């Protein structure tokens, strides 16, 4: 019994030493990775900073956070999605197999009015009949000289309530002279809600006093995909978003 215990202790020490050595001698490789979805908000015009969200699918826990590169040529937007992953050097280290979904923002910048085709990992070597994930983007003509057509609340994050379709848009407005007028929303017919928390100015004098807020928003039931993006336009041409487990709450 004592001999067995000593054997187990020795085995654990050897395993620990191998793990420590492995971590000190990491070998990495960059690979293309697949995506679970592309989320494309509506409502952009030629003055807006355009962003697309790609939900990367990491196949195991040896992959690090993904990287995205975007290239615009004419009416084509090509997104390249790669991630660095750790390659074990010995049989004692395994990469736990599980799909990890990580949303990644793809900053496209400003685009001219028109319709664009989006493709993901089109440059990757593929099997003859393998499909490339694609989507589309429409950019409207500029409606005003400013970045935004409306004054939006300075939303900093979206607070989700477990088991509920109610979310809270939270942040800090720059002055108490601004109040919420209305929250408008629309969807792209697929998997994305664009949410516009529009402010109104309620007094001529605007003291520079930070005003915290929490605006309630109920996620509509118009879209039936299992995961949807809630994309909220914010102050100064910024935006925030979250991925919402839609079918869990229908």
């Amino acid at each position: 019994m004592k001999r067995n215990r000593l054997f187990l202790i020795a085995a654990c020490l050897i395993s620990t030493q191998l793990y420590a050595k492995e971590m000190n001698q990491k070998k990495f490789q960059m690979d293309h990775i697949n995506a679970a979805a592309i989320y494309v908000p509506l409502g952009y015009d030629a003055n807006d900073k355009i962003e697309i969200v790609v939900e990367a699918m990491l196949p195991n826990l040896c992959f690090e956070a993904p990287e995205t590169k975007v290239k615009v040529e004419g009416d084509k937007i090509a997104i390249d999605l790669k991630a660095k992953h750790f390659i074990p050097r010995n049989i004692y280290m395994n990469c736990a197999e599980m799909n990890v979904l990580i949303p990644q923002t793809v900053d496209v910048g400003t685009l001219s009015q028109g319709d664009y085709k989006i493709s993901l990992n089109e440059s990757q070597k593929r099997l003859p009949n393998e499909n490339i994930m694609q989507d589309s983007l429409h950019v409207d003509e500029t409606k005003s000289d400013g970045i935004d057509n409306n004054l939006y609340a300075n939303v900093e994050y979206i607070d989700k309530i477990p088991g509920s379709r109610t979310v809270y848009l939270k942040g800090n407005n720059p002055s108490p002279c601004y109040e919420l007028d209305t929250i408008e929303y629309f969807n792209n017919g697929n998997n994305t809600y664009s949410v516009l928390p529009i402010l109104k100015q309620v007094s001529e004098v605007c003291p520079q006093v930070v005003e915290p807020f929490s605006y309630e928003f109920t996620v509509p039931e118009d879209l039936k995909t299992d995961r949807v993006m809630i994309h909220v336009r914010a102050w100064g041409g910024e935006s925030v978003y979250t991925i919402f487990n839609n079918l869990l709450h229908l």
Side-chain angles (χ1 to χ4, degrees), residues 9 13-14 42 46 59 89 104 106 110 142 145 150 173 228 236 247:
I9 293 172
L13 288 173
I14 292 171
L42 288 182
R89 292 178 182 268
Q104 287 291 107
V106 181
T110 57
T142 302
D145 294 332
N150 296 295
N173 286 328
V228 297
L247 294 187

Side-chain angles (χ1 to χ4, degrees), residues 239-250:
S239 61
V240 297
Y241 68 85
T242 189
I243 306 299
F244 183 81
N245 288 321
N246 189 44
L247 294 187
L248 293 178
H249 311 310
L250 285 178

Side-chain angles (χ1 to χ4, degrees), residues 21-243:
K21 183 178 180 181
E22 185 74 26
M23 296 309 289
N24 289 330
Q25 299 178 358
K26 282 187 176 182
K27 182 180 179 182
F28 289 98
Q29 178 176 316
M30 286 290 289
D31 279 334
H32 282 93
I33 55 174
N34 294 324
I38 301 176
Y39 300 96
V40 184
L42 288 182
Y44 286 126
D45 64 34
N47 261 358
D48 293 327
K49 295 184 296 183
I50 295 171
E51 66 179 24
I52 298 165
V53 175
V54 176
E55 194 167 34
M57 183 184 295
L58 305 183
N60 59 57
L61 297 183
C62 284
F63 278 80
E64 295 187 347
E67 300 175 5
T68 60
K69 291 184 179 179
V70 61
K71 184 177 182 180
V72 180
E73 288 186 344
D75 64 347
K76 294 180 173 59
I77 302 172
I79 301 171
D80 210 35
L81 186 62
K82 291 184 177 180
K84 183 190 294 184
H85 69 96
F86 166 56
I87 303 174
R89 292 178 182 268
N90 64 64
I91 61 173
Y92 299 100
M93 293 214 44
N94 295 314
C95 298
E97 296 294 328
M98 61 182 296
N99 288 330
V100 182
L101 297 178
I102 299 181
Q104 287 291 107
T105 303
V106 181
D107 293 316
V108 181
T110 57
L111 294 174
S112 301
Q113 176 191 0
D115 294 304
Y116 295 83
K117 298 176 182 177
I118 303 167
S119 64
L120 180 67
N121 288 346
E122 190 171 10
S123 62
Q124 181 184 0
K125 292 182 180 179
R126 295 178 172 274
L127 298 174
N129 296 323
E130 188 176 358
N131 292 325
I132 297 171
M133 183 172 282
Q134 295 179 323
D135 212 312
S136 60
L137 167 71
H138 177 73
V139 179
D140 289 323
E141 64 178 338
T142 302
K143 301 181 180 67
S144 68
D145 294 332
I147 296 176
D148 290 318
N149 303 317
N150 296 295
L151 186 62
Y152 299 122
N154 187 33
V155 181
E156 297 169 3
Y157 66 99
I158 303 168
D159 191 9
K160 294 184 287 189
I161 308 301
S164 171
R165 296 196 70 84
T166 298
V167 300
Y168 292 89
L169 315 181
K170 295 188 175 182
N172 296 277
N173 286 328
S175 175
C177 77
Y178 297 108
E179 293 182 357
L180 182 67
D181 184 17
T182 185
I183 298 180
E184 297 181 358
Y185 72 90
F186 45 89
N187 66 68
N188 67 351
N190 181 20
N191 58 11
T192 301
Y193 289 103
S194 297
V195 180
L196 313 178
I198 300 172
L199 296 179
K200 60 182 178 181
Q201 187 171 339
V202 295
S203 65
E204 294 183 2
V205 178
C206 290
Q208 293 184 351
V209 179
V210 173
E211 184 79 1
F213 64 82
S214 178
Y215 302 144
E216 184 178 305
F217 177 72
T218 300
V219 181
E221 299 184 17
D222 307 340
L223 302 176
K224 304 304 180 184
T225 51
D226 57 348
R227 292 163 68 78
V228 297
M229 180 174 74
I230 304 169
H231 187 268
V232 182
R233 297 293 293 271
W235 186 283
E238 301 300 320
S239 61
V240 297
Y241 68 85
T242 189
I243 306 299

